[in-house]
Amino acid sequence: VKTPTTVAVIGGGIIGCSIAWALGRAGVRVLLIDDRAAPLQGISAAGFGSLTPFSDPFYRGEARDFAARSVQMFREEWLADICSASRSSVAFKDLGLIQLCLTTEDEQAAVDLSSELIAAGYDARLLSAVETRRLEPALSGTYRSALWMNEPWVDRAEYFAALLGAIATLSSVEQFARTKIVELQPRIDSLRLVAADGREFECDAVVLCQGLTTGAIVGVPTLPLQWVRGDAISVHTTNGAPILTRHVYCHKGFITPRDHSEMLLGTTYEPEDLPSDNARAHRDRIALADFKRIISANCAILPGIDSLEVGAVWRNWRPTAPDEKPVLGALQSDERILLANGFIGLGITLSPAVAVAVANQLTRSADPAIPATFSPNRYHYS
Ligand SMILES: Cc1cc2nc3c(=O)[nH]c(=O)nc-3n(C[C@H](O)[C@H](O)[C@H](O)COP(=O)(O)OP(=O)(O)OC[C@H]3O[C@@H](n4cnc5c(N)ncnc54)[C@H](O)[C@@H]3O)c2cc1C
């Protein structure tokens, strides 16, 4: 397969936008195509911005290592380049994540995970309750101890705005909003994409990063993705000042702070059958029962949660392959077609590594270093 001069990226979520940025910077002409009114309005808009290769329950072994490399890219050039191109700043707090232990079982799990991480060459520390409170004085609950992991958070809204600003500086990237691709026609010398309104696009390669979608594209393999729901609440301190610096997890509760009044609270990882049209149309609602569950799960982290103000609620679904591994790479049947999907709860975390891997694969400039277990060819497509 020759190095493509024009690549179509279908899906303008954090994965597609990051790929467009990496390819566009490498001088490749990119058609960034999304069916919504603007990019970054799909699942990505639900993300908290926690960059969590170690605490995420789905990422182990080489998937964890790939995610850890991605976080390192945030620390090194990825975010700095985006901020410099867009002339903006993005809050990136690299002080670690705290996982609270309430029981002796939690403590044993923390010992096991920290030993595993240290043996793999990563930084992890067991903290006493006193040490934990010294790091985060607002953690006034009755936990026994904690595990500290080397996981930063990024302000998702600022990161997305900066990325869009950076992409806008590239004349190599053309954006097409409100454009739903419905068919891919492989030709000998090119690929033709057909949109729902009849428009056609010619390219040499295509990267499919549609997240969770119910509309099949004719000529494209349909991924067997599952829907894993996440509900979220944004709360604010009443005096406008932050009360946490690090993100904190405890059992099913998790809180990602901002460096202003906002904190994002989550809890749910609920596998679902295809949610109803109504549920998908109203992503700015959650069930009252789920609201109560989130508050109760996060009370163990911040007992004073009741004194905070609710800003917004939302729900969305994490795209999850049956074996819970990302689907990333070229199709054996046609190497001009690449898939980048199934990143579950780590799509934001993985955005730099996925983007650079796809750009390296398409431009042949470096080894894409994609774990073999991510290959889309592990599935048989009808
Ligand atoms: C509550 C919640 C919290 C999360 N928190 C975090 C976190 O803290 N850290 C983290 O790393 N990850 C987090 N995630 C996961 C992360 O948000 C996802 O992994 C990531 O956003 C997936 O991005 P994507 O680009 O694959 O999909 P999307 O953002 O959904 O983008 C896909 C785009 O493709 C478009 N599209 C689909 N079909 C077509 C078509 N035929 N033609 C044109 N366009 C099409 C869609 O409309 C959409 O705009 C969270 C997820 C949830 C639900």
Side-chain angles (χ1 to χ4, degrees):
V1 183
K2 63 181 192 326
T3 302
T5 49
T6 302
V7 175
V9 175
I10 304 180
I14 187 58
I15 297 298
C17 287
S18 303
I19 292 170
W21 165 244
L23 280 171
R25 290 182 85 207
V28 177
R29 180 172 171 248
V30 179
L31 314 176
L32 176 58
I33 302 173
D34 193 82
D35 57 357
R36 297 176 194 263
L40 296 168
Q41 298 299 313
I43 306 162
S44 300
F48 283 18
S50 277
L51 308 178
T52 51
F54 310 124
S55 54
D56 188 279
F58 293 97
Y59 281 72
R60 291 286 173 262
E62 60 180 4
R64 175 200 61 200
D65 296 339
F66 185 77
R69 275 206 301 281
S70 198
V71 172
Q72 200 51 34
M73 293 165 77
F74 269 102
R75 293 186 175 112
E76 290 165 1
E77 285 162 9
W78 180 260
L79 203 52
D81 287 351
I82 287 171
C83 289
S84 140
S86 61
R87 296 171 188 274
S88 51
S89 65
V90 173
F92 176 77
K93 220 39 111 202
D94 199 7
L95 297 172
L97 175 143
I98 292 173
Q99 188 166 301
L100 300 178
C101 301
L102 302 185
T103 64
T104 49
E105 288 78 27
D106 291 348
E107 290 189 310
Q108 189 53 52
V111 168
D112 294 346
L113 181 53
S114 70
S115 315
E116 186 189 318
L117 291 175
I118 290 164
Y122 299 114
D123 197 4
R125 274 170 253 156
L126 296 164
L127 303 175
S128 69
V130 172
E131 288 169 323
T132 309
R133 218 157 283 155
R134 210 174 287 142
L135 290 182
E136 292 291 345
L139 298 178
S140 56
T142 53
Y143 50 91
R144 298 168 65 92
S145 59
L147 171 62
W148 178 94
M149 284 173 272
N150 193 13
E151 299 183 322
W153 59 258
V154 65
D155 185 312
R156 182 248 303 150
E158 291 178 1
Y159 172 40
F160 285 7
L163 180 58
L164 292 181
I167 292 172
T169 65
L170 297 174
S171 56
S172 47
V173 179
E174 289 169 60
Q175 294 192 48
F176 300 87
R178 299 185 202 276
T179 305
K180 188 173 182 65
I181 298 301
V182 292
E183 189 172 352
L184 184 155
Q185 300 168 351
R187 309 280 163 110
I188 292 171
D189 289 329
S190 68
L191 298 168
R192 176 172 295 169
L193 299 172
V194 184
D197 60 8
R199 268 177 301 159
E200 294 181 346
F201 303 88
E202 295 287 331
C203 57
D204 308 298
V206 64
V207 190
L208 295 155
C209 22
Q210 308 115 288
L212 274 174
T213 168
T214 49
I217 301 177
V218 176
V220 158
T222 304
L223 282 173
L225 295 174
Q226 292 162 350
W227 300 69
V228 178
R229 202 188 71 233
D231 299 305
I233 307 176
S234 151
V235 291
H236 292 263
T237 57
T238 48
N239 64 1
I243 53 177
L244 285 178
T245 315
R246 295 158 182 84
H247 35 178
V248 185
Y249 285 21
C250 182
H251 288 188
K252 288 190 149 187
F254 43 88
I255 303 182
T256 305
R258 295 290 180 248
D259 60 8
H260 45 79
S261 65
E262 191 179 22
M263 284 183 289
L264 310 180
L265 316 185
T267 177
T268 50
Y269 262 90
E270 308 290 342
E272 286 190 342
D273 291 332
L274 181 63
S276 67
D277 288 345
N278 190 56
R280 280 184 285 125
H282 300 290
R283 293 174 294 143
D284 56 349
R285 300 175 187 171
I286 63 174
L288 263 181
D290 293 317
F291 185 91
K292 289 184 195 159
R293 250 197 296 275
I294 295 178
I295 297 300
S296 130
N298 285 294
C299 265
I301 298 174
L302 282 181
I305 238 166
D306 278 353
S307 62
L308 302 171
E309 292 177 341
V310 177
V313 300
W314 64 93
R315 64 178 158 220
N316 218 308
W317 293 268
R318 305 166 178 97
T320 308
D323 61 4
E324 296 165 352
K325 294 227 175 347
V327 180
L328 180 60
L331 287 182
Q332 217 164 22
S333 53
D334 190 336
E335 288 193 357
R336 299 170 298 177
I337 303 175
L338 277 75
L339 272 51
N341 208 332
F343 302 112
I344 324 180
L346 285 197
I348 298 172
T349 307
L350 291 167
S351 50
V354 167
V356 170
V358 168
N360 286 347
Q361 169 132 356
L362 284 170
T363 59
R364 309 274 187 273
S365 55
D367 180 358
I370 301 172
T373 50
F374 291 7
S375 168
N377 301 308
R378 68 189 190 271
Y379 294 115
H380 295 287
Y381 303 105
S382 51

